Amino acid sequence: MGPSDTITLDKLNEVLAEGRSIKLLDEGIYTVLDGKSLHHQYDKKAAIYDFLVSSRLYNRLVWGDSPHNYAAFAAQGVKSHQGGLVLDAGCGSLLFTARAHLECGRLVIACDQSIDMLRRAQKRLMQLGGRGCGRIILLQADISDFPFHAGSFQTVLCMNVLHHHSDAAGLIRHLKASLADNGQLYLTSLVKNNRPIGDRYLNLLYKKDWIVRPRSGAELKSLSQDLLGAFPGYWTRGNMAYVTTDMR
Ligand SMILES: C[S@@+](CC[C@H](N)C(=O)[O-])C[C@H]1O[C@@H](n2cnc3c(N)ncnc32)[C@H](O)[C@@H]1O
């Protein structure tokens, strides 16, 4: 472990809520979980997720949107400020965010409960040539049991995670509270949006217990406005909803 690793770990320890501690789980991957729940939804599904969800055709047909747009939103998020910590909450394999994190020069905490997703994230960072890898801390954490101090992050990304959470309001509140005073939240979620293919597929995923009851676009918009202020940036493309508190 070099001096820069020590600095990033010190930073991670600084933002952890009271009573939380980290352990090394794998080389370069830390955990705040106590190991009680060893299996998570995306373990063993990480490879198929990456294969399917990186496909332009799949996204266009099923969700009416594109991987390019997801990555552009993430890049806008990390470029929204020059400095300060970034949290990528439910980062998965960094499918749409790895490049943005590597290019932004900021310190990033990328957390997910699935160790398989985090291992893929690590591999992706290495493959993309990571001189910036050392600035990106991979952390196994459960964001429903939010492990970070209020006010810790300048920018929070939470992409494609909310449709897995029944307590959307609770999660949005935690994400908002984790922002510094002038911080920015960038969030995406699948929603029903009067698209027969996408809406039916969301219902199917719900029946298979893969996601929670699908929310409508209107429901998420109203929830976001209630929790984030009167005019958060909100738009949809196909079944993908984009929410941001960054009004520029
Ligand atoms: C649909 S994937 C999205 C991954 C990534 N953000 C992306 O856009 O490709 C949902 C991710 O959220 C993670 N996740 C769901 N609930 C979580 C929780 N309570 N704590 C941490 N991660 C969670 C899953 O493990 C999975 O990697």
Side-chain angles (χ1 to χ4, degrees), residues 42 49 90-92 96 112-113 117 141-144 159-160 165:
Y42 276 78
Y49 174 83
C91 64
F96 307 117
D112 200 285
Q113 61 188 5
M117 284 299 227
D142 177 2
I143 55 172
S144 327
M159 296 183 61
N160 305 321
H165 286 251

Side-chain angles (χ1 to χ4, degrees), residues 40-43 49-50 53 70 88-97 111-114 117 141-145 158-161 163-165 171 188 210:
H40 297 102
Q41 184 181 11
Y42 276 78
D43 288 338
Y49 174 83
D50 278 359
V53 178
Y70 313 148
D88 188 344
C91 64
S93 63
L94 301 180
L95 187 56
F96 307 117
T97 53
C111 74
D112 200 285
Q113 61 188 5
S114 163
M117 284 299 227
D142 177 2
I143 55 172
S144 327
D145 179 21
C158 185
M159 296 183 61
N160 305 321
V161 180
H163 47 257
H164 286 293
H165 286 251
L171 180 54
T188 62
W210 188 253

Side-chain angles (χ1 to χ4, degrees), residues 84-140:
L85 264 184
V86 177
L87 174 66
D88 188 344
C91 64
S93 63
L94 301 180
L95 187 56
F96 307 117
T97 53
R99 274 183 203 282
H101 292 334
L102 284 168
E103 284 165 11
C104 73
R106 299 171 64 186
L107 186 57
V108 177
I109 295 179
C111 74
D112 200 285
Q113 61 188 5
S114 163
I115 181 65
D116 284 351
M117 284 299 227
L118 290 168
R119 285 187 183 126
R120 290 185 74 84
Q122 187 176 47
K123 209 163 148 198
R124 190 184 309 284
L125 290 172
M126 305 280 209
Q127 279 166 353
L128 285 175
R131 268 208 296 156
C133 285
R135 285 183 293 94
I136 303 165
I137 301 175
L138 298 174
L139 177 71
Q140 188 192 38

